[in-house]
Amino acid sequence: MSNTEPLISVIVPVYNSEEYLPYCIKSILNQSFKNLEIILIDDGSKDISPQICDSFAEKDSRIKVIHQENGGIAKAQNAGLDAAQGEYIAFADNDDILNKNNIEYLLSALQNTGADMSKARWQQFGISHLDDIVRQASRGATSPNTINVFNEPLRAYQTVFSKILRLVGEHTGHNTEARYFNEANWCRLYKRELWNDIRFPEGMYAQDVMVAGKLYARMNKVADVDRILYYWLQSPNSVTHKERSFSFYHDNVVAGIVNFEYALKHGILPARSYYTLVGSINEEATAPDITEPVNQLQYEADLQKKNSLLARLTRHQRMQCAVLHKIRLFEKGIYDRKIKNMA
């Protein structure tokens, strides 16, 4: 490796992932780009994940391990950001797998386009396909033919989130798939300065959604790599798959409110945040602990806030958001049946 190659910090929050953590770490160590700082943040794990982290660190000097009391994924991510020395920042979940060429292709896209963030495509997989995914990731993806660059990522985030409409856009030559990304921080490479003064709110389930608007508003350009470079394990025990408490749904309501207001401030239709806000309030009503008095009061307050925000939209805007909400709910139903139930 040339001394001129930039250092890239890969931040991995770790919590009770002894079964899959080795696969994740090995996929990062196996990257074709080698100038890495791999920061493993053990967030008070109760299994042997801490020992796994330390064992890998003993064998590779690029690995730095931080042990801390359990404080949640946001606290772990923030610890990683505070410790990172790299010129660029990447994140990975502790049970996911990176394609061998993930960092190389994402870095090349950033350097060749001058974008603030690069991103690639991802693939969900079930536990039964783990060995196949490991082999696929180790082979490495072929080099992309083109890199798509787009402006106004905040607008893309809020509007290009329906799979059906993205497919229509692809067939009509609008290249909408390249403009799609969700709130997750993995499968991206960020310029370090994007994170200046931005940290995840600790103690929230929707920590990534909370920073999305502010983060994307800082970006001028985003580069899209049309290759699958990240493999997302669909575990039935993950928080997003099993959590159904009122506080879980309320955190998403708060995040929806924040991004709704942020979009309006920038003159952008908050279609995705409408979906998040309206959907999460509806889900609050289904929470098993909704009958608790404090949750009832919060639910009523959330309804009032939702109505006040929707009143700031024109009738035509509300209709647009409502139609997109219905389409996305239909898509979510298919996703929940086919993806979340992967074995």
Side-chain angles (χ1 to χ4, degrees):
M1 275 291 149
S2 167
N3 290 332
T4 61
E5 288 187 319
L7 178 66
I8 295 179
S9 299
V10 184
I11 298 170
V12 186
V14 175
Y15 183 70
N16 290 356
S17 186
E18 61 183 8
E19 188 173 359
Y20 308 111
L21 179 60
Y23 296 99
C24 175
I25 297 175
K26 288 177 183 178
S27 75
I28 301 173
L29 293 174
N30 192 43
Q31 288 297 296
S32 55
F33 184 89
K34 301 298 184 184
N35 197 23
L36 303 175
E37 174 191 48
I38 305 165
I39 306 174
L40 307 177
I41 306 96
D42 163 38
D43 189 44
S45 297
K46 305 302 182 184
D47 61 4
I48 65 168
S49 294
Q51 292 91 325
I52 292 173
C53 291
D54 291 338
S55 176
F56 274 100
E58 290 174 2
K59 299 172 184 176
D60 198 306
S61 61
R62 295 177 298 170
I63 296 179
K64 177 179 181 179
V65 181
I66 299 173
H67 296 287
Q68 63 182 33
E69 293 184 4
N70 179 252
I73 186 171
K75 183 178 179 180
Q77 288 173 312
N78 290 341
L81 285 169
D82 292 340
Q85 299 297 312
E87 185 177 341
Y88 300 94
I89 302 290
F91 293 89
D93 282 356
N94 63 189
D95 51 2
D96 294 340
I97 294 173
L98 277 66
N99 185 277
K100 179 179 180 179
N101 296 327
N102 180 292
I103 298 296
E104 178 186 345
Y105 289 173
L106 291 176
L107 177 61
S108 177
L110 274 184
Q111 293 178 325
N112 292 333
T113 64
D116 303 292
M117 183 189 85
S118 57
K119 66 183 185 68
R121 312 301 167 83
W122 59 87
Q123 176 182 330
Q124 295 101 332
F125 72 97
I127 295 171
S128 63
H129 295 94
L130 179 60
D131 291 338
D132 291 337
I133 291 298
V134 168
R135 287 191 290 269
Q136 183 178 334
S138 298
R139 287 194 297 268
T142 58
S143 179
N145 296 322
T146 59
I147 302 296
N148 295 291
V149 180
F150 61 91
N151 301 316
E152 293 190 287
L154 180 60
R155 187 178 300 277
Y157 165 71
Q158 284 289 353
T159 56
V160 188
F161 67 100
S162 164
K163 182 64 175 180
I164 292 172
L165 296 185
R166 292 202 309 275
L167 290 173
V168 172
E170 288 292 293
H171 285 297
T172 55
H174 289 88
N175 202 22
T176 44
E177 193 64 34
R179 294 171 55 82
Y180 169 73
F181 49 94
N182 58 12
E183 295 91 353
N185 303 110
W186 39 252
C187 202
R188 294 137 185 235
L189 189 63
Y190 302 89
K191 286 185 176 179
R192 178 189 178 89
E193 55 265 30
L194 288 172
W195 291 94
N196 289 347
D197 303 321
I198 292 182
R199 290 296 184 268
F200 296 98
E202 298 181 9
M204 287 191 70
Y205 291 107
Q207 86 288 346
D208 46 3
V209 187
M210 281 290 289
V211 303
K214 187 175 182 180
L215 197 61
Y216 300 144
R218 286 189 172 185
M219 303 176 191
N220 294 314
K221 293 192 296 184
V222 169
D224 174 77
V225 179
D226 186 14
R227 287 292 184 271
I228 294 174
L229 298 181
Y230 191 92
Y231 306 93
W232 178 15
L233 176 64
Q234 299 300 296
S235 171
N237 294 320
S238 70
V239 171
T240 54
H241 285 189
K242 71 175 184 178
E243 184 61 53
R244 295 295 180 268
S245 67
F246 181 87
S247 61
F248 173 77
Y249 294 130
H250 176 65
D251 277 0
N252 282 280
V253 170
V254 173
I257 290 170
V258 168
N259 285 313
F260 195 108
E261 293 177 331
Y262 210 83
L264 289 179
K265 179 181 177 181
H266 287 78
I268 293 172
L269 181 70
R272 182 194 287 264
S273 295
Y274 176 103
Y275 167 80
T276 301
L277 175 60
V278 173
S280 297
I281 287 180
N282 290 341
E283 287 173 321
E284 279 183 335
T286 70
D289 52 345
I290 182 63
T291 56
E292 295 181 10
V294 65
N295 291 340
Q296 280 284 345
L297 289 173
Q298 186 61 66
Y299 176 66
E300 294 297 329
D302 289 346
L303 284 175
Q304 291 179 14
K305 183 62 177 180
K306 180 198 77 171
N307 292 334
S308 68
L309 286 175
L310 298 191
R312 296 171 63 181
L313 301 176
T314 66
R315 182 177 180 182
H316 179 66
Q317 288 175 327
R318 287 197 298 273
M319 185 178 298
Q320 282 181 280
C321 289
V323 169
L324 285 170
H325 179 250
K326 293 292 185 183
I327 294 174
R328 189 59 180 161
L329 277 179
F330 171 75
E331 295 172 347
K332 182 178 183 296
I334 297 175
Y335 173 87
D336 286 348
R337 290 194 299 271
K338 292 187 175 182
I339 302 298
K340 286 189 176 183
N341 292 322
M342 279 184 169

